[in-house]
C-alpha cells in the first residue's frame, strides 16, 4: 500500500460516505464500489490489477473500510454497506480527508487493543502492524465470501417462478411444524396465497393467512393495509416479501393492535430455511438447495 497515502485513502472513504449517506437502506458493496469508482479519478496505481486478480482500487477501499466498521461508522450485513448514526456524525465532524481516516484508524487500534492482553499491545512493535494487516486481510476475504454467497442466493430466489416460490414458503411452514391446508393455484390473485394451521384438522385458532411476493420492490404500508383487510379476528397474517418492506409498512405492522401480522424479508426467510433445513423433505430442499462450508472466521 506504499503508493497510496493516508490523505488519498481519506478522500476515497469520504466520497464513499457521501454516496452511502444518501442511501439510508444501504447499498450492495459492489454497487457502492462502482459508484465510488465513477465518482473519482483513479490513478494508474489504483486502476492496476493485482497478480492474483482483482482491481487494486477495490482492495484499497475494502481494507480502509475495516477501520470504519470497527470505529462504528459503517455497517456491513449480507454484502450491504450502510452508514451508522456515528458514521454520519464523523463525516460532518472530520471534513479533512486525512483527519477523517486517521480518526477511523485510531478507533480501530483502540478496538484491537481492547481484545488483546496488555503484554501483546506494545506500542511501536512491528508485529502489531503486521497482525493488524493480517486481521484485516482475513476480514476482507470473509466479507467477500459472504457477499458472493448472499448475492447468489438472492439472485436464485428472485428468479424463481412465482408459484415455485409460493411452494417454497409452504414447504418451510410444514418444516416448522405448521399444517398447510391450501396453496393458491395459478390464476387470479385473491390476496391470500397460503392457508395454514397449528393443528392437523385446522380446528384450533388462529388460522394463518399468508401472502408471498417474489418481486424486488419493497411492500408499502398501503399494500400491507389491503392484505390486513383479509385478516379476520381469528386469523394471523404472514407477509413474505423478497424485496422487503418500507419503513412505513414496518411501523404499521408494529403498531397494528387489532389484528396480528408478521413480516418476513429475504434475510429472515433464508435464516428460517437454514434453521429448518434438516426437517425439509428432499423435494423441498431442491427448491432452495444450500450447503454449509465451514472455515475459520476473522476475529470479531
Amino acid at each position: 500500500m506504499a503508493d497510496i497515502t493516508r490523505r488519498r485513502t481519506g478522500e476515497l472513504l469520504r466520497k464513499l460516505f457521501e454516496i452511502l449517506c444518501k442511501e439510508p437502506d444501504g447499498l450492495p458493496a459492489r454497487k457502492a464500489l462502482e459508484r465510488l469508482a465513477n465518482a473519482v479519478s483513479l490513478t494508474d496505481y489504483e486502476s492496476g490489477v493485482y497478480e492474483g486478480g482483482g482491481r487494486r482500487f477495490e482492495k484499497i477501499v475494502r481494507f480502509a473500510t475495516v477501520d470504519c466498521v470497527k470505529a462504528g461508522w459503517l455497517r456491513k450485513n449480507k454484502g450491504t454497506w450502510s452508514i451508522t448514526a456515528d458514521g454520519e456524525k464523523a463525516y460532518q465532524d472530520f471534513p479533512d480527508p486525512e483527519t477523517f481516516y486517521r480518526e477511523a484508524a485510531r478507533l480501530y487500534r483502540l478496538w484491537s487493543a481492547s481484545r488483546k492482553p496488555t503484554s501483546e499491545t506494545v506500542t511501536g512493535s512491528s508485529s502489531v502492524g503486521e497482525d493488524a494487516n493480517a486481521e484485516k486481510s482475513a476480514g476482507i476475504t470473509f466479507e467477500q465470501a459472504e457477499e458472493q454467497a448472499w448475492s447468489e442466493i438472492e439472485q436464485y430466489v428472485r428468479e424463481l417462478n412465482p408459484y415455485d416460490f409460493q411452494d417454497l414458503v409452504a414447504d418451510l411452514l410444514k418444516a416448522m411444524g405448521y399444517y398447510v391446508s391450501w396453496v393458491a393455484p395459478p390464476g387470479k390473485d385473491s390476496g391470500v396465497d397460503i392457508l395454514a394451521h397449528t393443528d392437523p384438522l385446522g380446528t384450533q385458532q388462529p388460522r394463518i393467512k399468508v401472502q408471498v411476493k417474489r418481486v424486488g420492490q419493497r411492500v408499502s404500508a398501503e399494500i400491507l393495509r389491503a392484505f390486513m383487510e383479509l385478516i379476520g379476528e381469528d386469523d394471523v397474517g404472514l407477509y413474505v416479501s423478497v424485496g422487503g418492506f418500507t419503513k412505513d409498512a414496518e411501523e404499521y405492522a408494529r403498531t397494528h393492535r387489532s389484528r396480528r401480522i408478521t413480516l418476513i424479508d429475504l434475510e429472515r426467510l433464508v435464516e428460517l430455511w437454514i434453521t429448518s433445513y434438516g426437517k425439509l423433505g428432499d423435494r423441498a430442499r431442491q427448491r432452495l438447495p444450500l450447503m454449509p462450508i465451514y472455515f475459520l472466521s476473522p476475529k470479531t
Side-chain angles (χ1 to χ4, degrees), residues 132-152:
N133 287 342
E135 283 185 1
K136 289 182 179 181
S137 294
I140 290 171
T141 300
F142 180 83
E143 75 176 47
Q144 287 180 307
E146 185 180 46
E147 284 173 21
Q148 181 177 349
W150 181 253
S151 176
E152 290 177 359

Side-chain angles (χ1 to χ4, degrees), residues 28 31 39 53 73 78 112 119 135 141 143-144 156 168 195 198 216 223 261 275 292:
K31 184 173 291 187
W73 296 357
K78 296 290 193 300
S112 183
S119 60
E135 283 185 1
T141 300
E143 75 176 47
Q144 287 180 307
Y156 179 89
L168 182 152
L195 286 178
T198 57
I223 294 175
I261 186 167
T275 301

Side-chain angles (χ1 to χ4, degrees), residues 35-65:
R35 288 195 188 180
L36 176 58
N38 292 330
V40 298
S41 296
L42 299 181
T43 65
D44 291 340
Y45 176 78
E46 293 162 357
S47 299
V49 178
Y50 285 108
E51 291 183 4
R55 191 164 50 166
R56 190 176 285 118
F57 157 77
E58 180 173 326
K59 183 67 173 290
I60 291 169
V61 176
R62 285 184 179 275
F63 204 82
T65 59

Side-chain angles (χ1 to χ4, degrees), residues 196-198 202-209 230-237 258-260:
H197 307 269
T198 57
T203 59
Q204 298 178 11
Q205 298 177 358
R207 178 174 55 174
I208 304 167
K209 290 184 175 180
L230 304 174
I231 308 300
E233 292 183 1
D234 297 329
D235 300 330
V236 295
S258 61
R259 281 166 288 183
R260 293 173 291 170

Side-chain angles (χ1 to χ4, degrees), residues 249-288:
E250 292 174 349
E251 180 66 19
Y252 177 77
R254 278 195 302 270
T255 58
H256 205 285
R257 300 183 183 279
S258 61
R259 281 166 288 183
R260 293 173 291 170
I261 186 167
T262 297
L263 308 183
I264 296 181
D265 59 12
L266 180 58
E267 183 175 343
R268 180 60 176 151
L269 178 66
V270 173
E271 289 175 356
L272 292 170
W273 189 260
I274 292 172
T275 301
S276 306
Y277 206 72
K279 298 179 180 179
L280 293 166
D282 291 340
R283 183 176 181 182
R285 290 182 184 182
Q286 291 307 308
R287 299 192 193 282
L288 179 56

Side-chain angles (χ1 to χ4, degrees), residues 110-127:
L110 288 177
W111 169 84
S112 183
S114 70
R115 298 164 47 251
K116 299 177 181 178
T118 304
S119 60
E120 294 183 26
T121 57
V122 180
T123 303
S125 172
S126 60
S127 64

